[in-house]
Amino acid sequence: MIVVGGGPAGASTAFGLARNGVDVLLIDRAHFPRDKPCAEYLSPEAARPLHEMGALAAIDAEGPAHLHGMRVRAPGGDVIHGEFAAAHGFHGFRDRGLALRRTVLDAILLDRARAAGAEVVEGERVESLLVDARGAACGVATVDAAGARRERRAAFVVGADGLRSIVARRAGLAHQRRWPRRVAVIAHATNVTGVGHFGEMHVERDGYAGLADVGHGVTNVAVVVPFAQAGALRGDALGFLQRWLDRRPHLAPRLRGARYAEGARVTGPFASHARRAWAPGLALVGDAADFFDPFTGEGIFAALRGGELLAPYLCHALGAANDRDADAALAAYDRARRHLFAGKWRVERLIGSAVAMPAVMNRAAAAMSARRDLADLLVGVTGDFVPPREVMRPSFIARLLVGAIARRPPVPHPIADDRLPTPP
């Protein structure tokens, strides 16, 4: 079995396969540890697959930030404050989220895959798929940093190679949605003021910003803007990020003394989606299969859970009596994946729509800033432990509408003390 990609999706898949006795080769073009543009947030429920991989203790030892919930500021100034530990009766594997650098997380997860028996090859780039007489994937063609080329063959190939997956593209499965087409610029800074135990999202009319502690005094600072602004990022991504933040009176004072240890990284455009997550001889997992928008920060959990889900279906495909049965196992994985994530996808798209329409976002924030029970439920859904159906119920929507109609005055702007206001 060949797994392409050494991030959380690839490491999770390789771990699950190797633990079940499958001969696994994981290939990544990078040398680890390597940095990667990412929100670097792990939801409370992400701790469960990490625990299953035996990675959680090592992650805790690295001193990650512990996030109690999320705060979302609407363009009008109202703040949605939701906490993971709340009175709604739902509980995650842990009652806190985690945040830490991908340089640390990915190295730990790869070590767990190795410990389970997977072979990991770094610094080798996949260029194309190898296919057999019936057109099924049967390996990959690669090139290393020295230019040496080779063909690596396997019964199945897993595309866990991210947003611009070469596996998905070569298999003809990649599809780019027209909306929302956004790009992100991400940097790490020290000396950012007012960063506490909550992840922050600041929605503006021309994009949104995210701030979150990732441990050891470092803050993940991200700005997400429409793809039309991508040209302005070329050549000076960090300057773009700083100028964008400087124009926000409620954010600029908090970042005035920030020190950026390294340059900013750009990723996107988002809203990619594979037509299906399998083809004969291959399967897709994580961002290679689907990535809508980074606002809810679900990428790492979806990658870990997706790899955990995929591994037994691949084991079944390996033991299949014929090609038809192997294809049926991969198709069953795709159905299971859609069933597992369908509710969350609907919520993500509703949130994406609200973020794109300031008037709607302001109304929703006005309602939820006055109703912590609504905010806690929504944040619990984004934390992956409250079932998405809880925020799709007519009763939830009715309470949200009533709160939006009975709009209270917005929070004064800018925020005087350089921090998000204490919720009512």
Side-chain angles (χ1 to χ4, degrees):
M1 187 80 64
I2 290 176
V3 176
V4 181
S12 175
T13 306
F15 174 85
L17 291 167
R19 187 170 62 171
N20 282 283
V22 177
D23 186 9
V24 183
L25 174 66
L26 186 152
I27 304 171
D28 198 289
R29 64 188 302 169
H31 289 277
F32 291 79
R34 60 97 169 91
D35 209 354
K36 187 173 179 65
C38 176
E40 299 178 318
Y41 157 71
L42 296 95
S43 68
E45 198 59 21
R48 188 199 54 75
L50 292 172
H51 173 74
E52 293 295 328
M53 292 179 69
L56 196 52
I59 289 170
D60 285 338
E62 292 291 339
H66 292 257
L67 302 181
H68 295 200
M70 298 297 297
R71 284 179 162 182
V72 181
R73 184 187 188 278
D78 281 306
V79 175
I80 301 168
H81 174 103
E83 300 192 14
F84 297 131
H88 45 51
F90 296 96
H91 303 280
F93 188 84
R94 284 186 167 181
D95 61 3
R96 300 286 185 264
L98 296 173
L100 76 164
R101 296 287 301 269
R102 286 289 298 271
T103 49
V104 176
L105 174 66
D106 290 4
I108 290 173
L109 297 181
L110 275 182
D111 283 346
R112 295 310 305 153
R114 288 190 186 96
E119 179 185 355
V120 177
V121 173
E122 301 176 38
E124 195 163 306
R125 176 169 54 88
V126 171
E127 289 192 317
S128 60
L129 292 173
L130 305 178
V131 296
D132 61 19
R134 76 179 183 111
C138 61
V140 295
T142 68
V143 59
D144 64 19
R149 299 177 183 276
R150 65 183 300 171
E151 292 186 350
R152 295 184 177 275
R153 297 186 178 274
F156 294 93
V157 175
V158 175
D161 48 340
L163 190 61
R164 289 170 295 279
S165 168
I166 187 70
V167 175
R169 284 184 280 135
R170 294 291 185 263
L173 298 174
H175 174 67
Q176 191 76 42
R177 292 188 177 94
R178 293 181 178 271
W179 179 90
R181 299 261 297 166
R182 297 179 179 129
V183 293
V185 54
I186 301 170
H188 294 97
T190 56
N191 206 36
V192 179
T193 63
V195 177
H197 297 300
F198 291 83
E200 302 176 25
M201 302 301 293
H202 299 260
V203 182
E204 305 292 336
R205 295 180 181 275
D206 59 344
Y208 59 85
L211 302 176
D213 179 14
V214 291
H216 305 284
V218 177
T219 300
N220 181 298
V221 182
V223 168
V224 181
V225 296
F227 183 65
Q229 297 186 40
L233 294 167
R234 295 193 183 99
D236 187 19
L238 182 58
F240 176 94
L241 179 143
Q242 291 173 307
R243 290 188 297 273
W244 196 96
L245 293 168
D246 283 345
R247 294 195 297 270
R248 321 295 154 174
H250 55 288
L251 286 173
R254 299 175 58 191
L255 290 143
R256 193 161 290 144
R259 298 184 181 91
Y260 295 90
E262 58 219 22
R265 294 174 177 267
V266 178
T267 185
F270 304 113
S272 66
H273 176 68
R275 291 178 173 85
R276 65 176 190 267
W278 76 281
L282 70 87
L284 304 176
V285 66
D287 292 354
D290 181 270
F291 191 95
F292 179 68
D293 189 76
F295 188 87
T296 56
E298 298 311 298
I300 296 178
F301 170 77
L304 293 169
R305 182 67 183 96
E308 184 181 57
L309 177 71
L310 173 58
Y313 286 95
L314 285 170
C315 290
H316 184 72
L318 278 170
N322 51 54
D323 293 336
R324 184 180 62 184
D325 289 348
D327 289 350
L330 298 180
Y333 154 70
D334 196 23
R335 291 192 299 272
R337 176 181 162 274
R338 291 175 186 274
H339 178 76
L340 177 65
F341 292 120
K344 192 62 175 297
W345 291 340
R346 286 192 288 270
V347 173
E348 286 177 349
R349 280 145 185 76
L350 286 172
I351 292 173
S353 298
V355 168
M357 294 183 283
V360 174
M361 188 70 199
N362 286 335
R363 290 287 186 178
M368 281 191 275
S369 63
R371 290 291 303 268
R372 274 283 303 279
D373 56 333
L374 303 183
D376 288 341
L377 270 176
L378 183 59
V379 166
V381 171
T382 66
D384 300 304
F385 63 91
V386 173
R389 65 176 180 270
E390 295 298 318
V391 298
M392 304 294 286
R393 294 183 188 278
S395 58
F396 180 92
I397 296 170
R399 284 180 287 163
L400 185 62
L401 290 173
V402 168
I405 292 169
R407 180 179 173 84
R408 63 180 178 82
V411 173
H413 173 78
I415 296 170
D417 66 353
D418 295 345
R419 294 173 296 172
L420 288 171
T422 301

